[in-house]
Amino acid sequence: MTRSNNLFTKILKDFLPTDLNTKYFDFKEQEYSTTQFCESLLTQLTLSYDNCTYYREKLCPKFNFSIPDELSMDNLQDIPYIPSSIYKKSGLHTLELLKVPLDEIALFSCSSSTSGNPSIVPRTIEDFDQIQYNSIKCFTDFFRWNELKENNKKPLVFNFSPGRFLMAMMARKNVSDFPYKRKTRYFTACMNKPWEFFGHEEYLVKGKLLKTLKAIITTLSIKGGFVLDVSKMLKMIRRVKKTGFWKTMEVSKMIFGGSPLLMNNMFDNRLLKEKMFYDLDGLGFVGCGGGGWEGVKGEAKMDAVNKSEFIGKYEKVFNIKSKDIADIYAFTEGPTLFGGHWSKKYQDFLLHCPHTSRILVRDIKNFEVVGEGEEGLLEVITPYGVNGSVNQAVIVDDIVELISKHKCPECGYQGATFRILGRLKNLQGKSCSSLFDWVY
């Protein structure tokens, strides 16, 4: 157990069963047939209707929707959906969206919002179980999870993120006036967690005591008290290149994970300036996650990241080719992780819908479902991992292009394929929820 885990255990609680730390390490894909998906979704719709007053009395009438006897894929577009922004702290509606008693909520997931207005989503233990499955499924399909343990070798992960202990403290600060802040954690911490038990995970965003004290004195904030410990990362890379080990662990792969915004900052402000190059071909892999391509992520505000140039920087500095660079798209309000690979044709990451979810893309003006090659707002539908709240159908602020409804044209991955074009509020100065006449 790492020092970070010891701190987490002593000072904060995880509130989740310890078996979730390693439950899906020997990953076996579960079957989610179309029939099962529809039956499970109908169950969740019924639970929402029976147990949530908001859903029954306000949302369903708004969509002129009644619970059907049966559900098929042709009916998905008729299901009531909610905007992700309805979970924002300022709206004070999180607890009105529950569909189980409050004592069944294990933890609240929080988004890392720069505006001080994060989303807060209630989740049961079963929801976190599903999120762990979804995470390892995504890591398996796009981050080569099953290949990372070779005999006694394990992966060394450089995570461009604070550790889970620090993130828990930041989350509590971010929702300081929420009555259940003690049981609130960043959503991304749940995705980071498995790597701590799978190999060695080095969180690169670290708090420095003197910098933190200076930040508190000069700005009345701890915001300036963090550093990106690139020097430690380079030391570890050199050690592994020379010996094949980090401390007593034989290393199978070195993975660069987490915020592309911070990765890009590393290249521009350190490695390229100082002309530092390391050949990690065959040894290195990049797994971006958590978003931030547009230049904003959590407390970090920087220039937007040009994805094509970003790919080129990894090849120039570390000799890691585009085939070894993947991305994850996810949002706090839903349990789904969408993995993606780099497309030379689109000069972008093509993202893939897993078998636990379905997506619709809705026209920005009339909210009708669009077809392949068209763009609109992303709606994600899933009956799995949504036991705690009515988030089985969520529409988000991201504008996407629907590449394919059924299969990726480049890698053949089964399921809908899309790419992110931008955010609605960046293009129109408004959010998704402002386009709707919501009862709130």
Side-chain angles (χ1 to χ4, degrees), residues 41 45 48-49 54-56 58-68 71 75-83 360 362 379-381 390-395 438:
L41 184 57
L45 294 175
S48 296
Y49 189 89
Y54 165 74
Y55 193 85
R56 179 176 62 253
K58 297 181 178 181
L59 194 60
C60 285
K62 184 177 183 65
F63 284 82
N64 194 26
F65 181 82
S66 57
I67 304 298
L71 194 66
N75 306 132
L76 296 187
Q77 63 186 32
D78 301 322
I79 293 172
Y81 49 83
I82 58 174
L360 298 174
R362 293 187 179 272
E379 178 186 350
V380 180
I381 302 171
V390 296
N391 56 335
Q392 60 267 353
V394 178
I395 192 167
W438 288 98

Side-chain angles (χ1 to χ4, degrees), residues 74-216:
D74 295 331
N75 306 132
L76 296 187
Q77 63 186 32
D78 301 322
I79 293 172
Y81 49 83
I82 58 174
S84 57
S85 55
I86 203 169
Y87 283 99
K88 293 294 183 184
K89 182 181 68 170
S90 62
L92 302 176
H93 304 307
T94 289
L95 300 181
E96 297 180 55
L97 304 175
L98 286 168
K99 61 185 177 193
V100 295
L102 190 57
D103 61 7
E104 293 185 26
I105 298 302
L107 278 171
F108 292 85
S109 294
C110 164
S111 62
S112 51
S113 170
T114 56
S115 66
N117 189 25
S119 291
I120 305 174
V121 183
R123 292 190 153 110
T124 66
I125 287 176
E126 291 78 17
D127 293 340
F128 280 100
D129 190 5
Q130 185 67 50
I131 289 171
Q132 288 294 83
Y133 171 87
N134 293 350
S135 299
I136 308 270
K137 159 73 173 167
C138 188
F139 299 154
T140 301
D141 290 346
F142 297 96
F143 286 15
R144 304 176 185 173
W145 178 269
N146 286 339
E147 303 172 22
L148 296 177
K149 282 195 173 182
E150 307 169 1
N151 299 320
N152 294 321
K153 294 183 179 181
K154 297 179 181 180
L156 174 60
V157 181
F158 301 116
N159 198 323
F160 287 71
S161 163
R164 282 196 303 123
F165 173 76
L166 185 54
M167 290 184 77
M169 300 301 292
M170 293 168 67
R172 286 173 64 164
K173 177 179 176 294
N174 212 13
V175 297
S176 57
D177 54 352
F178 182 60
Y180 302 99
K181 64 180 180 181
R182 191 173 65 91
K183 296 181 67 173
T184 301
R185 302 285 184 270
Y186 279 144
F187 179 61
T188 49
C190 184
M191 291 182 279
N192 291 341
K193 183 179 177 181
W195 296 97
E196 294 179 9
F197 300 89
F198 195 60
H200 177 88
E201 183 165 23
E202 187 71 23
Y203 291 103
L204 296 180
V205 176
K206 300 175 181 178
K208 296 295 183 180
L209 181 59
L210 293 179
K211 285 179 67 69
T212 300
L213 290 175
K214 181 180 178 181
I216 292 173

Side-chain angles (χ1 to χ4, degrees), residues 210-225:
L210 293 179
K211 285 179 67 69
T212 300
L213 290 175
K214 181 180 178 181
I216 292 173
I217 293 170
T218 57
T219 67
L220 301 180
S221 167
I222 64 171
K223 184 175 178 181

